[in-house]
Amino acid sequence: MRWALAGIAGFVSTGALYGGTALLVDAEAFGMREEWLDGSPFGDYRLPGLFLLVVIGFGSALVAMLAALRHTFAAFAATVMGTILIAWLSVETAVIGFQGGAQVALLASARYSK
């Protein structure tokens, strides 16, 4: 079970590190349209990109490491990160709407990690 958790957390971390970096560098080239943010509290994708990179990317990497090392706090960390990921996906969907299967895949992995 710990290897499954480490693998899922590593998958989420890799995607979040890549996605967060892409949002910070050039969100439009990454496929994120600026008009999706119209009426939202975000003027651009910098803050969401930073949150995705730092909190979800590095947080999920920490979960993967804790699980691989059989650390006592691995299950707790996975629950916290799963909750954060569900909140992230809820806010993302509320702000930009449903934009594809990646949202569903990440939601499924967040539920599995809890």
Side-chain angles (χ1 to χ4, degrees), residues 12-69:
V12 171
S13 175
T14 301
L17 293 170
Y18 174 76
T21 301
L23 288 176
L24 291 170
V25 172
D26 190 352
E28 291 269 340
F30 188 54
M32 305 300 286
R33 297 185 188 137
E34 286 290 327
E35 62 264 16
W36 291 348
L37 295 176
D38 290 346
S40 79
F42 306 107
D44 57 34
Y45 286 100
R46 283 183 288 185
L47 185 58
L50 192 61
F51 186 87
L52 184 60
L53 177 72
V54 174
V55 176
I56 296 176
F58 290 121
S60 295
L62 178 63
V63 169
M65 183 183 71
L66 291 174
L69 296 173

Side-chain angles (χ1 to χ4, degrees), residues 5 8-9 63 74-75 77-79 81-83 85 108-114:
L5 175 59
I8 291 168
V63 169
T79 300
M81 281 311 304
T83 303
L85 188 54
S109 66
R111 265 191 70 70
Y112 181 78
S113 69
K114 284 183 79 177

